[in-house]
Amino acid sequence: MSPNLRGALLMAACMAAFTFNDAFVKSVSDEMGLYQALFIRGVASTLLMVAMAAVTGGLRFNIPRRDRMMILFRTITEIAAAYFYLTALFNMPIANASAILQALPLTVTLAGAVFLGESVGWKRMLAILVGFAGVMLIVRPGAEGFTVYSIYAVCAVFCVTARDLTARAVSSETPSMTVAIAASFGVWVFSAVGMLGEEWQPVSTGAFLSLMGASVLIIGGYFFATATMRVGEIAFIAPFRYTSLLWALLLGLVVFGEWPDFLTLLGAATVVATGIFTFYRERKLAMEVAEGAEQGAQR
């Protein structure tokens, strides 16, 4: 499997983990504030990640000096992204917030071309734009829904873009789990500070179980988000962010009993087709390279 295909699969897993995590966190929004939910989730997820890293050897403290600065900056952008997006999600229609966040494949791909010098062919850029058009068919945000929280969602887009590019700059000497633990710990500390301005609410059994589920899923989200940006090309991997919408559709149907309308299904089909085309094209190119190398060796 080529690095691009591994990156695509990691991105799909990352989007699934984050989407289900968001659903769990949002399910407790009627019982407690955002900071309390993040605090409880952060305690469990950070402890679990440290335990996992200790067993697998993924936790290291002898980190290169340059990586320390990159990890610190990435953690700061992770905190900012969590704050801006979840605040927007709690205060505006999810369709509007999701629509703004789906600009990420474009911003990450363009930023990779500008700051990392990665080439972005017209076919890849066209695939991203077609996928983005499919996203618009799904969420169909109304202009009347644009509020100050829409600006928060835009800020989240820039923060996640910076986070992903920073993760790419971390050397292979530093394990992805170490980077993920730093992100989890940073968000937990941030929520602990935020808790100073909130009143602690009783935690029901259902809410506790939901946050424990979110704790497990956010581990996958943090780890896959780091690992994804360390393999393959950004322009190829970026469109697979759209898979988060497919998980959102599934959750809406199973959990909330919502059946998508025709335009939503058409948009989902467009997103899937874009991902399949990009995946197929990369696999074909990888096979051609392999065949060329084999023929060269036979000569």
Side-chain angles (χ1 to χ4, degrees), residues 52 134 141-143 153 167 173 205 208 229 286 296:
M52 291 170 59
E173 298 177 39
T205 301
F208 178 78
M229 299 309 297

Side-chain angles (χ1 to χ4, degrees), residues 2 22 38 65 94 114 128 141-142 144-145 147 157-158 171 196-197 199 208 212 220 225 247 259 276 289:
S2 71
D22 290 343
L38 290 180
R65 182 179 296 275
I94 191 170
V114 172
I128 293 175
E144 68 279 0
T147 66
V157 169
F158 287 109
S171 71
L196 298 177
E199 182 178 352
F208 178 78
M212 291 305 99
W247 289 115
W259 181 253
I276 292 176
V289 171

